[in-house]
Every structure is written in structure tokens, then in C-alpha cells.
Amino acid sequence: METTDMMMTSMLTDNDQQKDKEGDEVTGGKEDNGEESGRLLAEKGLKSADQQVSNGFTKSTLDSTEKNGNGASSAGLDSGGGSSAPAGGARTLVVQQTEVDHERETWGKKMDFLLSVIGYAVDLGNVWRFPYICYQNGGGAFLIPYLLMAIFGGVPLFYLELALGQYHRSGCISIWKYVCPIFKGIGYAICILCLYIAFYYNTIMAWALYYLFSSFQSTLPWTTCNNTWNTPSCQEYLHTDLNISWSNQSTSPAEEFYLRRVLQIHLASGLDEVGSVSWQLALCLLLIFTVIFFTIWKGVKTSGKVVWVTATFPYLVILALLIRGATLPGAWKGVVYYLRPDWEKLRSIPVWIDAAAQIFFSLGPGFGVLLAFASYNPFHNNCYRDALITSFVNCSTSFVSGFVIFTVLGYMAEMRNQEVHDVAKDSGPSLLFIIFAEALSTMPAAVFFSIIFFLMIIMLGLDSTFAGLEGLVTAVLDEYPHIFARRREWFVFGLLITVFLGAQTTITYGGAFVIKLFEEYATGPAVITVVLLEVIAVSWFYGTKRFCNDCRYMLGFYPGVFWRICWFAICPVFLMFIICSFLAFPPDIKLFYYQYPYWSTVVGYFIGVSSFACVPIYMVYYLVMKTKGTLKERLKKGITPEPNLRRPTSTLIPNSV
């Protein structure tokens, strides 16, 4: 931030009323020179900031004044050749502190922002995680804890981050000096979390891209058992053959294609021996990162246009698959299993834990994305309405996706002559890449539906990746503008190279084991802990009242009692509930046939702690190295916000000379 002090003065003295005409002309000449310098300085400032100069003069006013032969702009001066000040008196000096900010990029359209936020919030988890969690935790009864957790936890956190980012117009690192400087470590923790997610999340898109390329064949490769990767246990299913017996030892062509062709997991023994890198997945991952680079390298102006395709296309595919699924035999079985309420489940604490975790990770606070996206909004944008709209769209998408998944599961159960719960035993990526892929292969027009389905998976993942990396890029560029402000493209390029290299372990033959470890430990409890500290810093240290006053200044209305109670009390309890449940019931990680060893749990906790450890480390650094004075003075400075000069202001400070 550069600040220019524009001072325009005119000091007129009247030492002798008998002064001759020549003396008056000399004095007038000096005055004109000073005023001309002031005018030029004012015009220079106006080129960088559209604000008033001195006592209300704009550039056009100055120009018109000049044409009249007088450039005087000091308060109390009248136009004309003579002096209007009292003899020997002083004129008023008007100083304007004008902010000359490097123009911050903004969204091209309001819909660019909304689609970007929706694309970020609606990701792969909405398609594979919510339907399975809902079915597993009581079907329709699960919607009660899910909605309660959304109303009292998820949506308030979503609203808080949008408002915070829009008001302070900063990324997740630099924003803390305006809120609570000693908590700046939260921003660094978020950046590390974003890196961890980027290491494994894009590999899932590489799998989908491999499926997409494999779909451009007359016969889908996961429909037959006569391929080089198949085993004697492989059992074919065709949509015209419904009388094939299925045993517990049988494996489908889709399962063997996923495990033995795409992942090649049979070539790895576990985390201790993941094998070499799969060159096919490496090329797919490289193509994914190429698309990401040319989308985010120029900022939200370009990514905001791309999401018009990547955020809307999945909804067209979901609608097409929903209509197609509803016409399949046995689809009604899946819908019944999906929605049939089991009220006894509501007495189980794990059900409420799953509801809280699902809504939290679905809406996605705590990853710096909402702060970054909102910081590119106009200052007076109604982010309250945006929070409600995007939250509703996100939750509705999860619910509708459940019908898409379970109509297909009902169809698969009908084909295998099994119960739905026997077919729906797989969750996570396996639900998409095995069960759904197999179902698609048995439908008429299988190639077409396979192509659009895996395109949808890729676009759902790309939206979230665009958002996550943009949050990281915004954070670093805002914190170190003197280094990266004019080198955004090179920074993005270097970042993607780093992420690509960090993702190499996830595209090995045992990469699926690494991804599962990252999913369970690197992001889960770590990001919840970071958000808990964020809420505490904003609501307790910065102050709920001060934050609400900021919202009123920005939005024109004061947040209601409900939001204030949620931010101050309910959200911290909501987050503590999830953290304590994780500590009380640590996950027993298992993937396919592989049971994770004990040492992997230690590694997982180390990865998780490595991110939010930035918070206490920065606090110690701030108190010991960054501030001076007694411990009390340092603590007071650490919790005192700095003035934010990024907000639009127009300050006139009158003084006397």
C-alpha cells in the first residue's frame, strides 16, 4: 500500500497596505507557481485513486478553476486575482490522506463468484460420501442431524468466512494483522493444508481421466474378463444376461479394471513398499495440472469464466443420470434403502459425528478459499445472501446425488439378485470407479454415459482444485506483494511443479494407500482445529460486536441474534464436538484387503500436527522476535488489530497553518 500526502497551501501575508503593484505581481507569481505544483500533484494522485482532493475539489473542478485563471484550492480562498485572507492571517491547510492502492482484481460478474463458490463446495464428496453416509446412518432419519448441524454450524461458519474476506480484502495470511496479529499462524497452517490436499486430490482426477480415455472404445474395457489383467475369479455381467449367479468369491470386470489396471495395486505390498510410479497415471496427472495452470495463472478473471462450464456441466449430467436411473429395473429398491428412516440410529453418537463432519467438509470453511474468493468481491456485495444461496445449493446437490447413486445401486442389486446393502458395501472412490462404472457398462449407450459421467467427475474435482490453489496463491501474493505481485504466472508455475512432485507417491502402484492416509489424518482433524482457532480469534479476541459492526458498515444491516450466538458459542462447541469425537474414536484405517500398520497411525498424526503447529510456533515467534516491551505489552499488541487501509475510505483532515 502506497500513501500520498497531498497538501495544497496558500500563505498570503499583508505586510504593507502601501505595497506597490510590482510587489503584488511578484507575490501573485509565487502563489501561482505553488498552486500549479499542488494541482499537478493532485492530478497525479487522482490517476491512482478516484477520490476527492483537498476540500472537495475533483480533477475536473481543478481544471475548470485553472481555466478561470486561478488554481487556488485552499479552504477559505475565493476565486479572483486578489487575496481574501485577513491581513497577516493564516489560511486553512486541508490535508487529505488518499490511499493509492494497487488495484485489486475483481470478479468479472457476480455469477462468476457464485459459480466459483458453488463449484468449490460441490465436489466429489457430495457424490460419493453423502449418499453412503446417509444410508449408513439411518437413511431419511439422518437428514435431521444433518440439517441441524448445517443450520447451527456449517452455514454460520460459511457466512463468517465470506464476510471476513470481503471486509478485509485479504488472503488467509495477511488478513490476521487486521483481526488478531498473534493468530497469523492460522494462515500458514491453511496453506500447508492446501498443499497436502493438492498432493492427493488431483490424483483422483487422474484416475477419472484414465477412465475417460478408456471410454472411447466400442466396448468398455471393464465389461469383459478376457483382458491381460483379469483373474479366474472375474465374472462378467451384461444388461441382457440377468441369470448369472454371483458368489462372495466373484469379482466383477469393473473391480479388476480399477484395482489391477488403473491402480495396479497388486504390484504393491502396502505403505512400506508402494512400488514404482505408474507412467500412465503420471501422464494423466500432468495433463490435469496443465489444465489447472492455464485456468488460474491469470487470476479470478479467467477462472471465473471457466467455472461457467465446469460448475454447470455436472448438474446436466446428474439430471441425465437421475432420469436414466429412475427407468432402470430395481431402481425403487435403492431409493427405499436410501430414504427409509431408522429412528433408532438417532440415539447413536457416531451418527451425529458423521453429520457434523459431512456438513463441515461439504461447505468447506477453513481452507482459505472462501476468504480469497470473497476478497475479490465489491466491498458492499451482499455476502449474507450469497452464503445462504450457495449453502442451499450445496446441500440440495448432496441430497439429489443420493438418488442418482442409489437408483443405480438398486439396479445392480436386481442384476446380482442381492440385497442393496450387499452391493453398497463400498464407499469413497470405489463407489464411483467400481460400482457405478460397472452399472454404466451394462446400460444401453454405455459408452456415452461413461464419457459424460467421468467428465462430470473430472469437472467436480477441477472446480475444487481451482479454488484450493487460488486460496493459496491469493494468500501468498497478498502477504508478499513486493516479491510476487508482478510474478503471479511464475509463482503459479512453481507451485504446480511443487505439487506435481509432491503427488508422485500417490501415483505409484500403492498410491491408493497413501491417499487414504492423507484423507484420514492430513486434512480431517487438522482443518477442524484450524477453524476452531479461527472462530475463537474472530469471536472472542477480535470481538463478535466489532465483527458485526464491520458487517453493518459493509452490508448495511447488523447480523441477527442467531448469527451472533452461533459465532460466539455454538460454532466453537460444534467444532470441539468433532475434534473430541475424533480423538475418542480414532479411525481404524483399512483399504481393500490391506490393514494399515500401527506405525502408519503415528505418521498420520505427525502429518496432521505439522500443519496447525504453525499456530503456536508463530505465537512464540511473534512474542519473542517480532514485538518489544514487557510480556503484557507484547500480548496486548498481539491481540490488537492493525488499521486496514484496503477498505474504501475518503478522509479529510482540516488543520490550521
Side-chain angles (χ1 to χ4, degrees):
M1 176 74 67
E2 299 176 2
T3 306
T4 304
D5 291 336
M6 293 186 298
M7 305 174 61
M8 291 184 294
T9 65
S10 177
M11 298 295 295
L12 300 177
T13 59
D14 201 356
N15 296 325
D16 191 354
Q17 293 182 358
Q18 303 297 326
K19 187 172 292 186
D20 56 40
K21 181 177 180 180
E22 180 180 355
D24 289 338
E25 291 174 353
V26 171
T27 303
K30 291 180 180 180
E31 183 179 33
D32 289 341
N33 290 336
E35 290 165 357
E36 178 67 11
S37 300
R39 185 187 66 80
L40 293 175
L41 183 58
E43 290 185 359
K44 182 179 180 181
L46 282 167
K47 291 178 182 177
S48 301
D50 184 17
Q51 297 183 354
Q52 289 184 330
V53 180
S54 189
N55 58 341
F57 278 68
T58 61
K59 182 177 182 299
S60 58
T61 309
L62 288 170
D63 291 341
S64 62
T65 306
E66 181 186 16
K67 292 177 182 179
N68 291 333
N70 189 345
S73 59
S74 299
L77 289 180
D78 296 327
S79 59
S83 169
S84 61
R91 295 290 176 84
T92 300
L93 167 66
V94 179
V95 180
Q96 181 179 13
Q97 196 77 3
T98 304
E99 298 173 14
V100 183
D101 191 7
H102 294 294
E103 185 179 358
R104 187 170 185 82
E105 189 177 12
T106 57
W107 298 98
K109 297 179 181 178
K110 175 64 175 288
M111 281 302 297
D112 294 355
F113 166 71
L114 289 177
L115 289 176
S116 296
V117 175
I118 291 172
Y120 160 67
V122 178
D123 65 349
L124 299 175
N126 293 75
V127 177
W128 79 48
R129 180 174 169 80
F130 176 83
Y132 182 81
I133 293 273
C134 183
Y135 149 75
Q136 192 179 44
N137 290 286
F142 177 75
L143 297 177
I144 295 176
Y146 178 76
L147 291 176
L148 288 176
M149 292 298 178
I151 293 171
F152 292 100
V155 178
L157 290 171
F158 196 86
Y159 177 24
L160 181 142
E161 285 210 352
L162 286 183
L164 198 66
Q166 183 171 303
Y167 183 81
H168 293 290
R169 306 178 66 79
S170 299
C172 63
I173 298 178
S174 58
I175 195 172
W176 291 104
K177 63 185 176 182
Y178 309 129
V179 178
C180 192
I182 202 172
F183 279 93
K184 192 176 182 178
I186 292 176
Y188 293 106
I190 290 174
C191 291
I192 295 176
L193 284 169
C194 290
L195 278 178
Y196 286 160
I197 295 171
F199 286 160
Y200 74 86
Y201 191 82
N202 297 289
T203 301
I204 299 175
M205 285 186 287
W207 299 347
L209 186 61
Y210 190 100
Y211 269 85
L212 179 64
F213 289 148
S214 301
S215 299
F216 289 95
Q217 303 179 34
S218 58
T219 301
L220 296 175
W222 56 88
T223 60
T224 61
C225 289
N226 56 356
N227 303 290
T228 57
W229 58 83
N230 291 127
T231 66
S233 300
C234 183
Q235 180 65 68
E236 293 185 17
Y237 280 87
L238 296 174
H239 69 279
T240 55
D241 189 357
L242 304 178
N243 297 317
I244 298 176
S245 60
W246 178 269
S247 66
N248 292 331
Q249 289 74 35
S250 301
T251 57
S252 67
E255 182 178 352
E256 294 200 350
F257 179 80
Y258 176 60
L259 296 179
R260 301 177 63 86
R261 180 60 176 172
V262 180
L263 301 183
Q264 301 182 67
I265 203 169
H266 62 288
L267 300 177
S269 60
L271 282 176
D272 53 347
E273 188 178 344
V274 295
S276 59
V277 171
S278 169
W279 66 268
Q280 299 97 327
L281 292 181
L283 290 178
C284 291
L285 187 63
L286 181 62
L287 183 57
I288 291 292
F289 276 111
T290 303
V291 173
I292 294 171
F293 174 74
F294 285 107
T295 300
I296 69 172
W297 70 322
K298 290 294 186 181
V300 296
K301 289 287 188 182
T302 54
S303 64
K305 299 297 182 291
V306 175
V307 294
W308 280 82
V309 176
T310 58
T312 56
F313 180 77
Y315 284 95
L316 298 177
V317 177
I318 288 174
L319 179 62
L321 292 175
L322 180 62
I323 296 173
R324 183 69 186 96
T327 62
L328 294 172
W332 64 272
K333 289 184 179 180
V335 174
V336 169
Y337 267 85
Y338 175 47
L339 294 181
R340 184 171 57 191
D342 183 358
W343 302 110
E344 291 297 321
K345 289 279 190 178
L346 296 181
R347 298 181 180 181
S348 174
I349 293 179
V351 172
W352 293 83
I353 295 173
D354 285 343
Q358 173 60 30
I359 191 63
F360 177 85
F361 289 110
S362 181
L363 291 176
F367 295 98
V369 175
L370 301 177
L371 293 173
F373 279 178
S375 72
Y376 297 113
N377 275 334
F379 183 74
H380 296 292
N381 172 66
N382 191 343
C383 60
Y384 169 70
R385 181 178 56 198
D386 296 341
L388 296 181
I389 291 174
T390 51
S391 298
F392 174 78
V393 171
N394 176 73
C395 296
S396 301
T397 304
S398 297
F399 183 66
V400 173
S401 296
F403 287 97
V404 175
I405 295 295
F406 273 88
T407 53
V408 171
L409 291 178
Y411 165 63
M412 292 300 298
E414 182 81 7
M415 289 185 60
R416 293 183 179 181
N417 196 24
Q418 290 182 308
E419 295 296 327
V420 175
H421 64 81
D422 293 325
V423 179
K425 60 183 179 180
D426 291 323
S427 61
S430 299
L431 185 63
L432 302 180
F433 294 109
I434 297 178
I435 303 298
F436 218 93
E438 181 181 351
L440 292 173
S441 68
T442 62
M443 297 179 185
V447 172
F448 169 74
F449 281 108
S450 178
I451 291 173
I452 64 171
F453 176 73
F454 289 111
L455 265 178
M456 178 192 74
I457 297 301
I458 293 171
M459 290 188 180
L460 285 173
L462 283 175
D463 283 335
S464 297
T465 296
F466 295 158
L469 293 177
E470 182 59 50
L472 196 158
V473 171
T474 298
V476 175
L477 264 61
D478 283 350
E479 179 64 14
Y480 306 103
H482 55 289
I483 301 176
F484 300 112
R486 300 183 182 276
R487 302 179 181 90
R488 178 188 171 97
E489 294 85 352
W490 286 106
F491 175 74
V492 172
F493 181 77
L495 174 64
L496 293 184
I497 291 294
T498 302
V499 173
F500 180 78
L501 294 176
Q504 293 305 297
T505 57
T506 65
I507 55 175
T508 58
Y509 299 142
F513 301 136
V514 179
I515 290 175
K516 185 68 173 179
L517 186 69
F518 269 98
E519 277 185 330
E520 295 293 339
Y521 289 104
T523 57
V527 71
I528 297 172
T529 304
V530 167
V531 176
L532 174 63
L533 295 174
E534 177 182 317
V535 172
I536 290 174
V538 174
S539 299
W540 297 359
F541 287 89
Y542 186 72
T544 304
K545 183 177 180 180
R546 177 185 290 173
F547 177 68
C548 291
N549 285 331
D550 293 345
C551 291
R552 178 168 58 183
Y553 177 70
M554 178 174 63
L555 303 177
F557 58 86
Y558 201 81
V561 176
F562 169 77
W563 301 106
R564 301 200 298 272
I565 295 176
C566 284
W567 292 328
F568 186 81
I570 297 179
C571 286
V573 173
F574 166 79
L575 296 168
M576 281 297 299
F577 172 71
I578 304 177
I579 295 171
C580 293
S581 66
F582 180 86
L583 297 176
F585 308 101
D588 181 24
I589 308 180
K590 183 179 180 180
L591 183 65
F592 307 124
Y593 58 85
Y594 180 69
Q595 183 70 44
Y596 281 68
Y598 175 77
W599 61 265
S600 66
T601 303
V602 177
V603 173
Y605 277 114
F606 176 79
I607 294 174
V609 171
S610 65
S611 57
F612 68 81
C614 293
V615 180
I617 290 175
Y618 184 84
M619 287 181 175
V620 173
Y621 163 75
Y622 186 89
L623 294 175
V624 175
M625 305 291 294
K626 199 172 178 64
T627 55
K628 298 180 180 180
T630 63
L631 179 61
K632 182 178 180 181
E633 292 172 343
R634 298 183 186 195
L635 288 172
K636 183 177 180 181
K637 184 177 181 180
I639 62 175
T640 302
E642 297 180 11
N644 188 353
L645 300 179
R646 286 184 178 272
R647 291 183 287 106
T649 57
S650 181
T651 307
L652 294 176
I653 310 172
N655 287 312
S656 293
V657 176

